[in-house]
Amino acid sequence: MNIMSPVASSSALDSDYLLSAPKDDETFPTFERRVSSRGLVSKYNDEFVLKNTDKSYEQQYASLYFLRLTVLKPRVAKVAADAWNGMSILSQQVKAVDRVLDVRQGEFCWIVGTIYIEMSLKPNILDEITKEFWTTAPISKDKFVDPERDAIMLEDESGRVNLVGSTTIKSELLVTGCVVAVLGSETTSGDFDVVDIRYPELAPQLPREVSSGHDRKYVALVSGLEVSGDVHESYETTMLFEYLMGELGGSDDSKHASEIIHVIVAGNSFPNRDGPLSRDEDSQDDNSSQTKKKKYGYDSKSYNSKPTEALDSLLADLSTSVSVDIMPGEQDPTNYSYPQQPISPALVPRTRRFVQSTFRSVSNPCWWDIEGLRILGTGGQPINDIFRYIEGDDRLQMMEYTLRWQHCAPTAPDTLWSYPFRDCDPFILNETPHLFFAGSQPEFKTKILEGDDGQRVRLVTLPKFSETGQVVLVDVDTLACEVVTFALHGARRRDS
Amino acid sequence: MASESYSTFLATRLVHDQETITYRLLSRELKIHTALAKRYLYAFHASSKSIYPDKVHATYLISGQKRPATTATGDVLMSDVSSPPSTLPDTDAGVEEEIVETVLELVPEEELDDAKSTFRKIAYVHVYSLEPTRLPEDFITLAECGRKVRDIDLNEDPHAISKTYGVIAEPAAKRQQLGQVASAQPKKPEAILPPRSKAPHAEPEAKQRPPSKASTLPSPFPPTTAKADRDRPSTAEVEASTKSIKKEKIESPPKKKLASPALKSGSTPSTVIRKTKSRSPTSRSSSQPSQELQSMFSSSEDENDKDEREDLVKTEAEAESPKDVIGSIHESFISDEIDLSIDKTPAKPKETNIKSEDVEMESAPQLEEPGEHTTKISPTKRAHRRGRRKVTKPIHTKDANGFLTTKYEEVWESYSEPSDEEPSGTRSAASIKGSSTPAPKKEKDVNVKKENGSKKKPASGGQSSLMSFWKK
């Protein structure tokens, strides 16, 4: 940060310095952001961004599961072997069994496979068809989980086995699609009684150099702007952009804002398309696409260009001052399935003029490398989906588990719509990021997660800006978090 | 800034026009630093109390840290809450992290003291905006000011914005010119054009040539002076050009409109041509060209065109830009007939080392000769899309064991619209797709996919005739 014009140091300015008459010959500081590297990790991102010519929907999803198991099996087998080899239970040596179906009764062994949770409340295509026939009101369900009746199974290429063991298996956080190793034995009824369970644990993390100096660098994360462009737009959004440009507040505020080297807009920059109407007739299911009535054809009268224009105007102004990345969320105009393709810059024509310099449209999820800091960000859909599988609402824990499973979207393609990948499962984490964030979460929470090999990850859940007015700043060097909140005195917050 | 002018300005705005003004809008309008604008607002507000009591209302911005738990808005997470049932031993469960939260709050002047009391530590207070009457609860009128500011900023250079208004400067910010964003493409197509002209055969040319008399094109044979050598467009180029052709095609349609299906008018953008080595229809001086054009018209049949085309391809583009481009595009159209001659293209250049425009005329007749064109393009059918293209056909055969097998084979097939297709046995070495005709959009689809020749009947995009349904 350079101070471009000489001025009294900010410490000499008291809080009311702007509440005074203008003096002649006084100059005010203008700050500058430092030049820094803000790149994307194309190694991973290239797998998320699908080329139009390469997309094919003819294949089944089975290959995705197969690839997942193939890649993660050796990793979790290694962890399991380290933990259990040589162990003996009831004076029996435990051994590894390669195929799930090879487990024999009474023998203690461990197997590796993909978890599948049979849930009666999970959305089912047959139910949907039934609904269409009988037009019964769909039951609104926030969660699919029904602890009484859900069955947890372990599956691999050979077959499936039912996992039981109320003390161990029921208390673990498991979702369909995660690859685990379980230790136990087969019961008389053919179920596998689980004694212990292991995950792949955190993937290796790239080391990085932390610069120690007085210059701080921050990455600003904001999610859920929900810019609607209409008359009653919440004004906090404008305030946010003014702050990021260094105009709001006093000189220390500007100075702090100038330490932000990159801004990531993480999803849901557009308002919720579902108006109150569809809420009444459909459930409050987050995944409203399943219960929404199908609309055939397109009614162009209902198109409203205000959100895009407003967002375009805001981003174009912001891009003159800081580099911005925009990542889509479930409400944004791009494909609904995961991974979401980058929002086309054609939607934001004024901002598009910055495409080669400070503006970038990225996929959801996305990997960044900002001054050595590796960041993995999602718009929040995988976490929201995992939320439906388990009881409780600890989002940070869910994020932690996805890192430990080495898979950032395990419920894809089961309940999280996904592209049928054929060659690779791009959600497998080969590396643990330094910063992992999820957008559009209910509230701001953060913690540092530490792994067995010295990995250190900062987990951040970003709340929706339209609800809370909060933007999170993460220090690139120390991983410390700060929050800046914008508020209107006495004004009610818009409920989403 | 004269200290009086701002008060006059504000007085007009607030009292006379009754409009709200924010510090940002003031800074844009007076071209001053935002901090100075804040001061001005304050000063005016202070002085207005005596002059226009109750006519000017201020809204303040307070930035600082709030007292926890007493505020209605955004209760801060001053301590970190970490999650319980994590089995990892090292998570800092229970360790409280201090998260610094800064709040920036917009407050109407009546409630300034109230609001101040909710702050534990105030960093700054300044005037955010002035308005004739107190703002509505959600401050929506300020949005209009914000829009105006952004509209003003839109037209300014980012670095100027930073310098003048005190916005944080971003060294990398660069607003591209309007034409340029799109023009990330343009260079290529342009560059492509010339090569394309090399393979003009593929292109339906006619349209392009704008009637402009600049002849360039006509001087197909015009050989560029020393460019003869360069003119050896390698087949690779030619092939590459086919791809570019596609792009060019995209350009051609618009150009087509300009050009009447006259022969090459030669008015192709010279710039484009210049870029590529492979010639581009060179444009000669206009007078000549027009003549040549005429002659071209008269003398040439498709063959001529073809040849010209080739020449065009070879020759270096010269001054007249439009001609060249058009020429090349033109060529592409004509190339229906000529498409096969694409192969010949490389040969052509050698022949045409004509430097003078006059020579062009002479070369015209020469064109007739090259019997290399094996196309069965009927000269007269210029209006039709013609050409050869590679198509994957299933061939059913009965093999030795009596099994009926199906093999997919790629064959060259000529097609034209609206007439039927005739499969041709010839396989051309060059893999130029004859089907690159820009004109009909449906063809475009073909082009797009055609690299591997998935065959799309021209008629499929739009019925050329009912019979085509049975013809396949």
Side-chain angles (χ1 to χ4, degrees):
Chain A
M1 169 221 78
N2 302 325
I3 299 189
M4 279 166 54
S5 48
V7 76
S9 76
S10 50
S11 55
L13 300 170
D14 67 22
S15 66
D16 287 346
Y17 85 101
L18 288 166
L19 292 179
S20 59
K23 303 191 204 25
D24 292 332
D25 296 342
E26 185 174 1
T27 50
F28 296 97
T30 301
F31 300 98
E32 188 176 319
R33 289 181 220 274
R34 48 178 289 153
V35 176
S36 23
S37 73
R38 313 158 194 136
L40 298 176
V41 181
S42 51
K43 176 164 68 158
Y44 303 128
N45 287 339
D46 284 349
E47 294 176 351
F48 295 132
V49 180
L50 304 161
K51 292 217 238 324
N52 274 327
T53 46
D54 290 346
K55 273 194 230 179
S56 153
Y57 290 90
E58 290 178 359
Q59 61 272 22
Q60 302 224 358
Y61 287 98
S63 36
L64 190 56
Y65 279 119
F66 174 72
L67 290 162
R68 195 182 295 181
L69 187 62
T70 317
V71 175
L72 291 179
K73 183 164 174 174
R75 299 185 197 179
V76 74
K78 181 167 177 302
V79 174
D82 289 343
W84 297 326
N85 265 355
M87 203 165 105
S88 54
I89 302 182
L90 301 183
S91 62
Q92 242 185 58
Q93 276 279 354
V94 307
K95 56 188 176 80
V97 173
D98 210 28
R99 292 166 71 229
V100 161
L101 291 182
D102 286 344
V103 170
R104 279 198 303 248
Q105 205 171 11
E107 222 175 55
F108 275 97
C109 56
W110 56 268
I111 44 178
V112 177
T114 316
I115 295 279
Y116 175 72
I117 306 190
E118 175 89 27
M119 288 166 153
S120 52
L121 297 172
K122 208 157 43 171
N124 188 345
I125 185 68
L126 296 174
D127 290 345
E128 223 172 297
I129 296 175
T130 320
K131 266 183 249 163
E132 285 183 38
F133 270 111
W134 301 111
T135 60
T136 48
I139 313 160
S140 81
K141 272 285 162 265
D142 274 346
K143 286 186 181 283
F144 310 139
V145 67
D146 180 357
E148 314 300 311
R149 297 185 294 174
D150 289 343
I152 303 176
M153 307 187 189
L154 191 75
E155 178 180 319
D156 73 359
E157 303 102 11
S158 60
R160 282 187 176 180
V161 68
N162 208 356
L163 298 181
V164 293
S166 52
T167 47
T168 40
I169 212 68
K170 292 287 186 184
S171 58
E172 284 291 332
L173 197 162
L174 290 170
V175 296
T176 301
C178 57
V179 176
V180 302
V182 287
L183 174 71
S185 71
E186 189 176 341
T187 63
T188 44
S189 54
D191 297 336
F192 192 84
D193 193 357
V194 174
V195 169
D196 196 7
I197 186 167
R198 283 286 184 274
Y199 309 119
E201 297 302 332
L202 289 180
Q205 192 177 54
L206 277 185
R208 67 189 187 107
E209 295 205 354
V210 170
S211 69
S212 57
H214 289 293
D215 281 352
R216 304 248 65 91
K217 292 169 280 195
Y218 292 93
V219 175
L221 306 170
V222 66
S223 169
L225 285 178
E226 295 191 340
V227 175
S228 68
D230 69 14
V231 183
H232 293 281
E233 175 92 75
S234 51
Y235 195 67
E236 290 93 338
T237 317
T238 315
M239 289 168 70
L240 165 68
F241 283 77
E242 285 180 26
Y243 175 77
L244 291 173
M245 289 173 73
E247 297 182 71
L248 199 63
S251 69
D252 274 352
D253 291 323
S254 297
K255 177 157 172 282
H256 193 45
S258 72
E259 291 167 350
I260 298 174
I261 57 172
H262 197 63
V263 176
I264 298 176
V265 180
N268 291 343
S269 313
F270 290 82
N272 202 336
R273 283 179 296 233
D274 303 335
L277 190 59
S278 56
R279 289 201 150 200
D280 293 334
E281 57 190 10
D282 291 322
S283 67
Q284 273 128 22
D285 197 341
D286 286 354
N287 200 356
S288 59
S289 54
Q290 295 162 354
T291 48
K292 212 193 303 204
K293 268 208 306 261
K294 288 201 183 63
K295 292 196 181 76
Y296 297 103
Y298 168 64
D299 179 10
S300 59
K301 286 201 294 283
S302 64
Y303 176 64
N304 180 6
S305 67
K306 290 219 178 62
T308 29
E309 284 169 9
L311 184 66
D312 185 23
S313 168
L314 288 166
L315 286 178
D317 210 26
L318 184 64
S319 299
T320 59
S321 175
V322 68
S323 71
V324 191
D325 281 355
I326 183 164
M327 189 166 86
E330 53 196 14
Q331 292 161 201
D332 291 337
T334 179
N335 58 310
Y336 188 83
S337 64
Y338 207 68
Q340 286 184 293
Q341 303 303 294
I343 296 175
S344 169
L347 280 172
V348 283
R350 298 192 214 176
T351 320
R352 195 165 65 116
R353 292 163 73 181
F354 289 96
V355 157
Q356 313 240 338
S357 55
T358 48
F359 175 72
R360 199 164 44 192
S361 179
V362 297
S363 58
N364 171 15
C366 185
W367 278 85
W368 284 269
D369 184 326
I370 295 182
E371 295 271 306
L373 182 78
R374 306 282 271 196
I375 307 179
L376 170 62
T378 76
Q381 289 106 315
I383 307 296
N384 291 338
D385 207 52
I386 293 176
F387 165 76
R388 292 191 215 116
Y389 275 78
I390 59 169
E391 296 179 315
D393 192 17
D394 191 343
R395 304 291 176 129
L396 283 181
Q397 189 191 20
M398 297 178 215
M399 289 173 73
E400 176 190 332
Y401 271 77
T402 57
L403 290 179
R404 291 175 63 195
W405 291 326
Q406 289 192 14
H407 197 278
C408 66
T411 56
D414 191 30
T415 41
L416 181 67
W417 295 10
S418 164
Y419 172 77
F421 288 99
R422 207 173 4 194
D423 305 319
C424 65
D425 182 345
F427 305 118
I428 294 176
L429 301 175
N430 295 316
E431 151 189 349
T432 302
H434 299 110
L435 170 64
F436 180 29
F437 69 83
S440 298
Q441 300 298 301
E443 57 176 339
F444 165 68
K445 280 228 180 116
T446 180
K447 80 171 184 189
I448 295 260
L449 178 64
E450 295 187 8
D452 296 333
D453 289 330
Q455 300 102 327
R456 243 180 127 240
V457 199
R458 161 72 69 185
L459 305 178
V460 179
T461 57
L462 303 175
K464 286 195 179 180
F465 186 83
S466 61
E467 286 174 18
T468 60
Q470 290 181 321
V471 60
V472 179
L473 305 181
V474 180
D475 187 320
V476 168
D477 296 318
T478 64
L479 292 182
C481 260
E482 287 183 26
V483 176
V484 181
T485 309
F486 299 88
L488 305 176
H489 189 78
R492 285 292 113 86
R493 239 179 228 287
R494 177 179 14 144
D495 290 326
S496 79
Chain B
M1 263 299 103
S3 43
E4 298 318 314
S5 63
Y6 75 86
S7 6
T8 336
F9 179 86
L10 285 170
T12 324
R13 186 58 79 91
L14 286 160
V15 182
H16 190 257
D17 298 338
Q18 298 269 306
E19 274 178 18
T20 312
I21 186 157
T22 58
Y23 72 95
R24 268 185 114 202
L25 189 55
L26 184 64
S27 87
R28 293 329 188 250
E29 303 224 359
L30 298 183
K31 300 245 177 282
I32 52 174
H33 196 284
T34 48
L36 185 58
K38 293 169 192 164
R39 285 255 177 98
Y40 280 171
L41 287 181
Y42 171 78
F44 183 79
H45 178 61
S47 62
S48 74
K49 284 212 182 84
S50 46
I51 313 176
Y52 321 97
D54 295 335
K55 286 267 177 64
V56 176
H57 175 275
T59 307
Y60 290 89
L61 179 96
I62 310 178
S63 81
Q65 289 170 17
K66 282 220 174 202
R67 269 187 246 280
T70 52
T71 62
T73 57
D75 223 351
V76 172
L77 209 56
M78 293 301 284
S79 62
D80 185 20
V81 176
S82 81
S83 58
S86 144
T87 53
L88 267 187
D90 296 335
T91 46
D92 40 355
V95 170
E96 298 208 341
E97 228 180 305
E98 273 286 323
I99 309 273
V100 173
E101 175 168 342
T102 315
V103 180
L104 288 106
E105 190 167 327
L106 213 54
V107 183
E109 67 180 10
E110 294 85 357
E111 291 163 35
L112 185 59
D113 294 322
D114 256 354
K116 274 188 173 177
S117 63
T118 62
F119 276 77
R120 181 179 64 141
K121 177 176 160 237
I122 294 186
Y124 297 100
V125 181
H126 68 78
V127 180
Y128 187 89
S129 68
L130 292 180
E131 47 277 338
T133 53
R134 178 175 168 156
L135 292 171
E137 197 166 280
D138 43 6
F139 302 91
I140 53 178
T141 39
L142 294 176
E144 188 51 43
C145 297
R147 248 189 296 279
K148 288 194 196 142
V149 168
R150 291 196 287 275
D151 287 342
I152 295 175
D153 278 353
L154 192 60
N155 298 322
E156 298 201 28
D157 172 53
H159 299 288
I161 292 178
S162 163
K163 235 163 106 64
T164 321
Y165 310 127
V167 168
I168 299 176
E170 166 58 60
K174 187 166 131 31
R175 197 202 304 267
Q176 288 161 327
Q177 294 314 306
L178 270 173
Q180 274 177 25
V181 176
S183 70
Q185 278 302 356
K187 304 287 176 165
K188 281 209 317 195
E190 291 183 349
I192 297 173
L193 269 178
R196 174 173 76 134
S197 16
K198 269 195 320 181
H201 328 285
E203 326 282 322
E205 46 196 346
K207 346 327 202 19
Q208 289 318 12
R209 298 335 162 84
S212 63
K213 301 319 178 152
S215 58
T216 26
L217 282 200
S219 37
F221 314 116
T224 32
T225 47
K227 312 214 178 138
D229 308 80
R230 265 200 267 186
D231 291 346
R232 280 313 130 94
S234 54
T235 23
E237 278 185 52
V238 173
E239 292 178 9
S241 67
T242 44
K243 296 205 183 97
S244 52
I245 286 176
K246 281 205 212 136
K247 287 214 184 122
E248 296 172 321
K249 297 225 190 110
I250 297 173
E251 306 216 331
S252 6
K255 296 217 183 124
K256 282 195 311 204
K257 308 233 173 97
L258 303 180
S260 57
L263 288 181
K264 18 235 159 158
S265 53
S267 46
T268 48
S270 52
T271 47
V272 167
I273 315 284
R274 264 187 233 120
K275 294 219 169 88
T276 54
K277 281 198 312 194
S278 52
R279 86 20 146 252
S280 16
T282 37
S283 31
R284 304 300 151 139
S285 54
S286 28
S287 57
Q288 288 292 13
S290 32
Q291 283 177 4
E292 289 154 3
L293 210 100
Q294 300 293 349
S295 63
M296 295 307 259
F297 267 109
S298 50
S299 60
S300 62
E301 276 303 0
D302 300 328
E303 308 242 317
N304 284 349
D305 293 345
K306 293 181 234 171
D307 289 329
E308 289 177 343
R309 213 108 327 121
E310 296 171 40
D311 289 332
L312 290 176
V313 176
K314 311 326 173 191
T315 50
E316 187 85 355
E318 236 107 274
E320 290 97 338
S321 25
K323 281 192 296 189
D324 294 347
V325 160
I326 304 209
S328 39
I329 301 173
H330 185 57
E331 287 179 32
S332 53
F333 281 137
I334 301 188
S335 66
D336 281 347
E337 302 106 43
I338 312 181
D339 62 339
L340 305 188
S341 54
I342 292 173
D343 315 339
K344 323 311 191 231
T345 309
K348 262 333 167 152
K350 302 175 203 155
E351 298 180 25
T352 58
N353 264 343
I354 311 172
K355 332 277 183 157
S356 66
E357 292 152 354
D358 295 341
V359 182
E360 293 170 12
M361 299 291 293
E362 290 158 10
S363 50
Q366 268 179 321
L367 285 182
E368 313 255 2
E369 307 168 347
E372 304 146 284
H373 312 301
T374 54
T375 40
K376 0 170 186 177
I377 301 163
S378 70
T380 43
K381 297 245 189 94
R382 203 171 299 166
H384 299 303
R385 267 318 121 263
R386 277 157 152 266
R388 269 239 205 118
R389 64 176 165 209
K390 201 164 184 182
V391 155
T392 313
K393 282 199 149 162
I395 298 182
H396 307 282
T397 48
K398 196 164 182 179
D399 77 4
N401 297 328
F403 292 113
L404 257 186
T405 57
T406 306
K407 273 205 290 261
Y408 287 92
E409 225 179 59
E410 297 194 11
V411 295
W412 281 105
E413 201 178 68
S414 73
Y415 72 97
S416 72
E417 287 197 317
S419 56
D420 308 333
E421 303 208 353
E422 305 151 8
S424 94
T426 0
R427 283 216 189 193
S428 142
S431 55
I432 305 270
K433 317 302 183 175
S435 53
S436 41
T437 56
K441 293 195 180 76
K442 51 197 166 190
E443 304 265 325
K444 249 194 235 181
D445 292 21
V446 181
N447 295 340
V448 169
K449 296 206 188 157
K450 71 168 177 193
E451 247 15 84
N452 274 346
S454 75
K455 158 178 157 178
K456 263 211 189 115
K457 287 185 67 75
S460 62
Q463 294 281 124
S464 44
S465 83
L466 202 52
M467 286 310 293
S468 58
F469 174 73
W470 287 277
K471 285 298 170 162
K472 270 309 175 252

